[in-house]
Amino acid sequence: MSTISLRVSEEELKLFQDFAKLNQISLSELIRRTMLSKLEDEYDLQVFSAHEAAKARGKVESYSHEEAWAELGL
C-alpha cells in the first residue's frame, strides 16, 4: 500500500481529526473516502455534460418506458 503526505494547517488538521472521530473512522479513511467521493462526483459530472452536449447535437435518442418495454416484449 502506498503513502501520501499532505500539508495542512493546524486548524485544518484539528477539523479533519474531529470529523473523523465524529464518524468513528481514521483520518486516513476520512481522506480516502472524501477523495474517492469527489472523484466520482467529477466523473459523473463529465459524463452528464458529455451526454447533454450529445443530446444538444441531436445524437441521443430517447424512449419512454412504454416504448422500451414494447421493444423488449414486456
Side-chain angles (χ1 to χ4, degrees):
M1 187 169 288
S2 298
T3 300
I4 299 174
S5 295
L6 179 66
R7 296 185 195 283
V8 296
S9 69
E10 290 298 320
E11 184 177 304
E12 290 168 333
L13 177 59
K14 176 83 168 101
L15 177 65
F16 296 162
Q17 289 172 329
D18 288 348
F19 192 80
K21 185 176 181 179
L22 179 67
N23 288 281
Q24 300 177 345
I25 58 175
S26 68
L27 183 56
S28 182
E29 183 66 12
L30 169 67
I31 293 169
R32 191 184 70 75
R33 285 183 189 180
T34 303
M35 283 303 304
L36 287 173
S37 178
K38 175 67 173 167
L39 292 173
E40 289 171 358
D41 290 348
E42 288 293 324
Y43 177 77
D44 290 346
L45 183 57
Q46 288 179 8
V47 170
F48 176 75
S49 295
H51 173 78
E52 288 298 303
K55 186 175 166 184
R57 292 189 310 272
K59 301 289 183 181
V60 175
E61 291 185 46
S62 297
Y63 303 93
S64 70
H65 67 279
E66 288 93 356
E67 292 169 321
W69 288 359
E71 179 80 18
L72 295 171
L74 301 174

